[in-house]
Amino acid sequence: MKQTLVTGNEAAAWGARLVRPNYIPTFPITPQTECIETLARWSADGELPGTYFDRMESEHSVMSAAVGAAAVGARVFTASSSQGLLLMHEVLYIAAGMRLPIVMATISRGLSAPVTLWSDHNDFLDQRDSGWLMFHAENNQEVLDMMLQAYRIAEDPRVLLPAMVNMDGYVLSFTDEPITIPSPEMVEEFLPEYNPDHTIAKGRPVTVGPPVLDEYTIFRAQNHVAARNALEVMEEVMDDFDRIFDRRYHLVDEFMLDDAELVLVTQGSMSTTAKAAIMEMREEEGIKVGLLRLRVIRPWPAKAIAEALKGAKAVAVIDRNLAPGRGGIMFPEIVETLYHLDRRPLVSSFVVGLGGNPQTEHKVKEITRKLIDDLETGRPRVEWNDL
Amino acid sequence: MYKIRIHGRGGQGAKKAAKMIGLAAFKMGKQVQDFALYGAERRGAPVMSFVRIGDTPILERGYVDDPDVVLVLDRTLLDLVNVADGLAENGLLLVNSEHDPIFDTPATVKHVDATSIALDTIGKPIFNTTMLGALAKFTNIISIDALNWAIEEELSHYPKKMIEANKTAVQKCYEVAE
């Protein structure tokens, strides 16, 4: 199939264009700007028929407008990064609680202060408990593919939750890579028109998001159940995606895990570099190391993760994020997931690549060697790599 | 894998040059990746962009710290930035300069006066595309044909005259580079 050279931002814009959204409210922020610039250009050139492209005064307004539009049954897309995503935070819970399947591309950038324009995952992971479905792409092809999948999963009547598709700023957002852009016909077959049952409409008054008393817990529980349902829906959607587009995705990305004694757990673009390092270490040094990439963060695919890691002797959780006073954010999640296994691997924590510090093959190899040491001493470690 | 690092100043088109090289190599059937460091960079400040070219999908990401070719769009950077940092010993340092920059590196050093060529052909100091003619001359990673295609693709929203002038500049640079 024909490939095109596009940046991650353009891949997200292509995803948005192909799903034929009704409404795109926007506010610019580095490194997301190019994504909405691309959509603005297409809109001005008449290439987004049926889409209202809106420029707003802040990210809080963007997400509020997204909620309003989705509540009347519009298919909505938006994108943000970093401080902008944080400004949306309050409204994110409302979108999830009102069960509105908005899809947003998030382009990860570290948070202030001090200011960085480069990527780490604190902005994205800060939304971890908001009730949104959360996906994290490794490369530009997956950015586009995840966008299409996100709409299918989010709009499924068993789910009806908003979804975020994350990519690393700069390393993907501003990097040209060859990708396959599917035809509109294929996308239409995969993702039909959005026709929700419960919307605010003329002549059909309904109340959404009202004050409640003890029913509150029921609504929260429904949110939780819907998110758990999404795991099953995802399996179906990924099968269907493979059938139509001939690209296979799973709940987790397993790389050379069959005989792996050491496993690196990663997220996002650094996984590509880590895979290259793993192939070299296997070939040159015979080290039995593999990789598990977390591509679905919410809902948490605990079973798939535990299954993938059950043969490992030692696991390194590589976090490109930090919860000050706690450590890497994904580390405790992985430890908890493995706690009930009959034979638990040793789990070490590495905080790497904050504020865009390069995540190189060299660092991946260093982490792997440390993991070998940990296995020998029998003691896991918690470590920062860029100090 | 073949790696290129471009040094320029904000506004000189280092990003565009990387994109053009990427497009040309992509047109020639290669796997490519190109990107630029930008964000807080401003007009006139030293900037960098990068291209990786290979026969198989590119797995390395981020800065290129061990380039095979370094392209310097502005020779005043030679005193400011260690442009040859990590450059392969059998690599190429190609500088936009009217005279030999005399630079101490085991790599091959070449120069071409892309600014004058651009002023003669385009009428403006657009030396980022112009210099790529010399890159095509000294390496076999991109051809003039593929470069012409990349120029048409990347400048498609410019007037036809501008596209043709860029192509002429690239051809001229290819011819005079030695």
Side-chain angles (χ1 to χ4, degrees):
Chain A
M1 217 177 190
K2 188 182 171 290
Q3 291 209 306
T4 313
L5 204 55
V6 300
T7 63
N9 273 328
E10 289 166 341
W14 268 106
R17 173 174 170 160
L18 286 166
V19 302
R20 315 168 304 281
N22 305 106
Y23 186 50
I24 306 180
T26 61
F27 191 83
I29 180 169
T30 298
Q32 153 265 32
T33 312
E34 189 194 38
C35 171
I36 61 164
E37 273 175 358
T38 304
L39 288 163
R41 193 174 67 241
W42 287 339
S43 175
D45 290 348
E47 292 186 77
L48 302 178
T51 302
Y52 179 47
F53 183 91
D54 207 356
R55 296 164 185 82
M56 312 208 71
E57 71 281 6
S58 79
E59 287 89 354
H60 192 278
S61 301
V62 163
M63 192 43 65
S64 301
V67 163
V72 297
R75 182 176 278 164
V76 183
F77 171 76
T78 190
S80 197
S81 293
S82 192
Q83 312 298 125
L85 183 54
L86 262 57
L87 188 54
M88 286 180 178
H89 183 71
E90 176 197 8
V91 195
L92 296 182
Y93 277 72
I94 297 171
M98 283 169 61
R99 309 291 298 275
L100 303 171
I102 299 158
V103 173
M104 169 159 60
T106 58
I107 295 93
S108 261
R109 162 183 156 189
L111 297 166
S112 300
V115 177
T116 176
L117 297 166
W118 283 76
S119 187
D120 68 36
H121 304 148
N122 261 83
D123 57 350
F124 174 61
L125 291 175
D126 220 43
Q127 319 312 323
R128 198 179 47 151
D129 304 331
S130 65
W132 283 54
L133 308 173
M134 297 178 65
F135 308 117
H136 197 158
E138 175 183 352
N139 51 47
N140 294 353
Q141 182 72 62
E142 197 181 19
V143 168
L144 192 156
D145 292 351
M146 265 185 174
M147 286 273 303
L148 308 181
Q149 293 173 21
Y151 276 96
R152 255 286 290 275
I153 299 159
E155 291 174 1
D156 190 290
R158 292 164 287 179
V159 180
L160 283 176
L161 286 172
M164 264 173 229
V165 173
N166 193 53
M167 75 178 96
D168 295 350
Y170 287 72
V171 185
L172 292 192
S173 73
F174 295 150
T175 300
D176 281 302
E177 284 183 345
I179 73 164
T180 301
I181 298 171
S183 71
E185 293 74 29
M186 288 163 92
V187 176
E188 215 161 320
E189 186 193 344
F190 176 72
L191 182 76
E193 288 299 304
Y194 173 49
N195 285 314
D197 283 339
H198 310 284
T199 57
I200 303 171
K202 215 173 173 182
R204 191 180 61 192
V206 289
T207 302
V208 286
V212 291
L213 294 170
D214 19 340
E215 301 92 336
Y216 186 78
T217 309
I218 294 172
F219 283 101
R220 295 298 284 162
Q222 285 177 343
N223 236 314
H224 183 61
V225 170
R228 302 302 302 170
N229 286 346
L231 286 171
E232 197 188 313
V233 172
M234 267 177 232
E235 305 260 21
E236 295 171 19
V237 169
M238 288 184 294
D239 283 347
D240 215 33
F241 189 90
D242 185 29
R243 178 179 67 79
I244 295 172
F245 302 99
D246 200 22
R247 282 190 294 281
R248 180 76 233 182
Y249 291 99
H250 300 277
L251 287 175
V252 290
D253 176 18
E254 301 182 29
F255 182 78
M256 295 191 157
L257 284 188
D258 283 350
D259 63 341
E261 293 174 355
L262 312 172
V263 181
L264 313 178
V265 176
T266 61
Q267 237 179 291
S269 65
M270 82 154 302
S271 314
T272 311
T273 317
K275 286 172 183 176
I278 284 170
M279 286 192 282
E280 274 179 33
M281 284 186 287
R282 278 187 171 261
E283 205 176 313
E284 289 162 16
E285 302 168 61
I287 301 173
K288 287 185 179 170
V289 53
L291 176 141
L292 177 74
R293 178 170 64 90
L294 303 172
R295 60 186 300 281
V296 178
I297 306 299
R298 284 293 181 271
W300 183 246
K303 241 199 223 158
I305 293 168
E307 187 61 30
L309 293 179
K310 72 175 182 204
K313 287 184 180 161
V315 172
V317 181
I318 305 177
D319 272 293
R320 189 176 205 165
N321 62 70
L322 177 73
R326 182 67 184 94
I329 294 172
M330 302 322 286
F331 172 63
E333 298 227 8
I334 294 289
V335 171
E336 180 269 344
T337 304
L338 301 180
Y339 184 79
H340 300 286
L341 286 183
D342 293 336
R343 206 173 51 79
R344 290 197 292 264
L346 179 138
V347 191
S348 286
S349 166
F350 296 86
V351 172
V352 182
L354 297 183
N357 247 306
Q359 297 183 313
T360 59
E361 285 185 36
H362 175 75
K363 282 186 196 171
V364 173
K365 289 180 180 177
E366 211 175 73
I367 288 172
T368 306
R369 297 213 171 84
K370 285 177 177 170
L371 202 56
I372 294 172
D373 289 347
D374 295 346
L375 202 53
E376 271 168 22
T377 60
R379 280 196 307 277
R381 78 174 76 202
V382 173
E383 191 166 297
W384 288 49
N385 283 61
D386 300 316
L387 287 176
Chain B
M1 195 183 357
Y2 205 83
K3 305 178 202 179
I4 301 170
R5 187 171 69 216
I6 303 172
H7 292 271
R9 289 179 177 278
Q12 291 178 337
K15 176 174 189 266
K16 200 66 130 187
K19 176 79 187 236
M20 297 258 193
I21 298 169
L23 273 172
F26 183 56
K27 177 69 176 170
M28 292 167 74
K30 298 290 183 186
Q31 291 285 331
V32 301
Q33 179 202 80
D34 68 77
F35 84 109
L37 281 187
Y38 67 92
E41 277 74 10
R42 64 242 170 258
R43 208 157 261 274
V47 296
M48 280 191 277
S49 63
F50 312 94
V51 192
R52 291 185 172 93
I53 301 169
D55 294 319
T56 51
I58 312 284
L59 299 178
E60 198 174 274
R61 294 191 179 283
Y63 316 93
V64 169
D65 46 21
D66 54 346
D68 299 289
V69 173
V70 169
L71 220 60
V72 182
L73 299 180
D74 186 322
R75 87 182 141 74
T76 62
L77 289 170
L78 297 176
D79 304 325
L80 287 177
V81 182
N82 183 8
V83 295
D85 191 26
L87 176 61
E89 286 194 5
N90 58 355
L92 169 69
L93 177 70
L94 176 57
V95 185
N96 175 21
S97 171
E98 64 267 30
H99 53 74
D100 186 345
I102 322 244
F103 197 83
D104 185 22
T105 166
T108 306
V109 182
K110 296 275 186 188
H111 72 280
V112 64
D113 187 2
T115 309
S116 296
I117 296 170
L119 286 171
D120 286 347
T121 50
I122 309 173
K124 290 178 186 169
I126 299 175
F127 40 76
N128 59 338
T129 41
T130 306
M131 264 194 95
L132 302 184
L135 184 68
K137 176 89 162 245
F138 297 130
T139 70
N140 53 8
I141 45 167
I142 46 168
S143 67
I144 289 287
D145 281 352
L147 262 179
N148 283 339
W149 179 84
I151 288 170
E152 280 179 24
E153 189 81 356
E154 191 57 16
L155 303 182
S156 60
H157 53 291
Y158 284 92
K160 185 100 183 91
K161 220 179 112 195
M162 184 54 111
I163 296 175
E164 289 310 314
N166 269 274
K167 286 193 201 167
T168 308
V170 165
Q171 180 64 36
K172 183 85 189 294
C173 188
Y174 180 84
E175 283 163 14
V176 306
E178 54 181 22

